């Protein structure tokens, strides 16, 4: 039987502790932060007034928002300011809090005025585009890691990158759907299928032919008084730059405002296939495939 001295055990423990610290330092320097995928939402924990708050990373919101319940719980003071909030639900005028410090870690924090949204029921906090202070946001859906970093840290491969447009603080890119180009909002806060507005389809003959016109008109007349309704569809494939994704489900969104609202959104069901790198400064999005099936 081989003997094992206390000094040997102590040495192993010390080495193990040193290794763990070294690994932690490397992870810290690398900047990646683990996130939870809650109902397909990228969810992290931040500190507000030294209290942990669950937050969703939402590139489909131009302004960060807090639920009225959480605002009262944290006793965040209201300001006299109001702001137009743009997102997939359109435009809304909401009251703002006074500036509050939101901490991700010791090195990443931001002072923001938060929109107070009474319609946020099961969500404490939405961190929108105003929170993303670093030029580059990266989301690794496979390993559930996220980081906010600088341009020189990420090498944007032109073949894997697609151009972005920035409008009213939101990011848009162009994809090919059913053989036609269509502009889409890049929305990490969209936890479901891709969304395409009825107005975009009506204006595009190729897309119109891809749908059954009878179903389209029947659905339209049936939901005229509703604020939002949809019809499920599936595309044989979509193209984002050089990336081809097969069998993508999407919803055709019907509006009651004479089809003026264009609700074209790509979210989780598309982005989950990639390590997504968004460069706001240079208006680029790099998509590195992480799923073999369907790409």
């Amino acid at each position: 039987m081989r003997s094992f001295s206390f000094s040997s055990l102590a040495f192993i423990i010390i080495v193990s502790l040193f290794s763990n610290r070294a690994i932690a330092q490397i992870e810290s320097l690398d900047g990646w932060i683990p996130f939870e995928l809650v109902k397909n939402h990228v969810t992290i924990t931040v500190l507000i007034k030294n209290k942990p708050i669950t937050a969703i990373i939402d590139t489909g919101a131009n302004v960060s928002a807090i639920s009225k319940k959480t605002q009262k719980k944290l006793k965040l003071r209201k300001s006299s300011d109001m702001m137009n909030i743009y997102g997939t639900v359109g435009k809304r005028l909401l009251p703002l809090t006074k500036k509050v410090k939101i901490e991700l870690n010791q090195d990443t924090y931001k002072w923001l005025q938060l929109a107070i949204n009474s319609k946020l029921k099961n969500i404490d906090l939405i961190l929108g585009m105003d929170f993303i202070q670093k030029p580059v946001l990266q989301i690794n859906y496979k390993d559930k890691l996220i980081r906010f970093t600088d341009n020189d840290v990420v090498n944007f491969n032109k073949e894997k990158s697609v151009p972005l447009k920035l409008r009213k603080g939101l990011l848009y890119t162009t994809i090919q759907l059913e053989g036609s180009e269509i502009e889409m909002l890049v929305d990490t806060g969209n936890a479901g299928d891709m969304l395409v507005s009825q107005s975009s389809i009506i204006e595009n003959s190729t897309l119109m032919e891809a749908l059954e016109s009878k179903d389209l008109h029947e659905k339209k007349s049936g939901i005229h008084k509703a604020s939002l309704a949809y019809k499920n569809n599936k595309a044989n494939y979509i193209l984002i730059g050089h990336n081809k994704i097969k069998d993508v489900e999407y919803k055709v969104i019907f509006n009651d405002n004479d089809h003026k609202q264009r609700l074209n959104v790509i979210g989780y069901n598309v982005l989950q296939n990639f390590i997504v790198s968004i460069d706001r400064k240079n208006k680029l999005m790099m998509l590195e495939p992480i799923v073999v099936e369907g790409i």
Side-chain angles (χ1 to χ4, degrees):
M1 182 175 178
R2 184 177 295 178
S3 62
F4 195 84
S5 67
F6 178 81
S7 59
S8 299
L9 179 62
F11 175 77
I12 290 172
I13 292 172
I14 291 170
V15 170
S16 176
L17 288 171
F18 178 81
S19 299
N20 289 338
R21 286 175 185 169
I23 291 170
Q25 288 174 357
I26 290 170
E27 289 175 346
S28 176
L29 289 172
D30 205 25
W32 289 101
I33 300 165
F35 70 80
E36 289 187 41
L37 204 59
V38 180
K39 296 181 179 179
N40 296 339
H41 284 119
V42 176
T43 306
I44 61 174
T45 299
V46 297
L47 291 178
I48 298 179
K49 298 177 75 171
N50 293 319
K51 294 181 180 178
I53 302 296
T54 301
I56 290 172
I57 300 296
D58 187 0
T59 59
N62 67 323
V63 173
S64 298
I66 192 167
S67 69
K68 194 168 185 178
K69 179 181 177 181
T70 306
Q71 177 251 333
K72 287 184 176 180
K73 180 181 176 182
L74 294 174
K75 298 179 180 179
L76 300 182
R77 295 170 61 193
K78 283 185 180 181
S79 74
S80 58
D81 300 329
M82 303 282 286
M83 181 174 282
N84 282 321
I85 310 301
Y86 297 92
T88 55
V89 295
K91 182 176 75 172
R92 294 180 63 200
L93 185 65
L94 295 178
L96 299 177
T97 66
K98 290 185 178 292
K99 280 193 175 182
V100 59
K101 188 179 182 181
I102 302 172
E103 296 180 81
L104 186 55
N105 53 44
Q106 290 182 346
D107 300 321
T108 305
Y109 62 88
K110 195 160 188 179
W111 288 87
L112 290 176
Q113 285 183 278
L114 300 171
I116 303 169
N117 192 338
S118 59
K119 292 189 176 182
L120 293 181
K121 300 300 182 183
N122 300 314
I123 299 171
D124 294 330
L125 181 66
I126 288 175
L127 294 176
M129 292 296 292
D130 57 346
F131 178 78
I132 305 171
Q133 59 182 350
K134 294 283 188 178
V136 176
L137 164 67
Q138 287 189 292
I139 303 176
N140 182 337
Y141 282 91
K142 180 181 179 182
D143 299 321
K144 296 183 177 61
L145 294 170
I146 187 172
R147 70 174 172 177
F148 306 87
T149 189
D150 297 309
N151 302 81
D152 55 357
V153 175
V154 183
N155 181 21
F156 274 78
N157 185 315
K158 289 185 178 180
E159 290 187 358
K160 295 179 181 178
S161 299
V162 293
L164 295 171
K165 292 181 181 178
L166 187 63
R167 289 201 305 272
K168 295 179 179 177
L170 299 175
L171 298 167
Y172 296 82
T173 192
T174 299
I175 72 167
Q176 282 194 31
L177 170 65
E178 308 285 9
S180 294
E181 289 191 349
I182 184 169
E183 190 175 76
M184 310 289 284
L185 171 68
V186 180
D187 183 6
T188 59
N190 173 24
D193 294 336
M194 189 170 71
L195 307 178
V196 181
S197 68
Q198 180 188 8
S199 55
S200 296
I201 291 172
I202 290 172
E203 293 172 2
N204 191 308
S205 58
T206 306
L207 282 177
M208 193 71 176
E209 290 173 4
L211 298 173
E212 296 179 6
S213 59
K214 182 179 179 181
D215 289 346
L216 186 67
H217 291 302
E218 285 178 353
K219 191 69 174 181
K220 172 186 170 185
S221 61
I223 56 87
H224 182 70
K225 294 182 180 180
S227 60
L228 194 66
Y230 61 85
K231 176 182 181 295
N232 288 315
N233 288 274
K234 180 183 282 189
N236 292 329
Y237 68 89
I238 65 169
L239 283 174
I240 310 179
H242 293 282
N243 294 292
K244 184 176 183 179
I245 311 172
K246 297 179 180 178
D247 300 323
V248 178
E249 293 186 358
Y250 67 98
K251 290 179 170 64
V252 176
I253 301 298
F254 298 82
N255 315 105
D256 64 347
N257 57 355
D258 297 324
H259 319 305
K260 292 179 181 178
Q261 182 180 349
R262 285 168 171 76
L263 195 64
N264 303 326
V265 179
I266 54 171
Y268 175 75
N269 78 324
V270 172
L271 299 178
Q272 67 171 322
N273 298 294
F274 305 98
I275 298 175
V276 181
S277 301
I278 295 173
D279 183 347
R280 282 196 312 168
K281 182 178 179 181
N282 296 307
K283 298 182 179 65
L284 287 173
M285 178 170 66
M286 182 169 65
L287 302 172
E288 300 175 85
I290 56 175
V291 178
V292 175
E293 295 180 2
I295 295 182

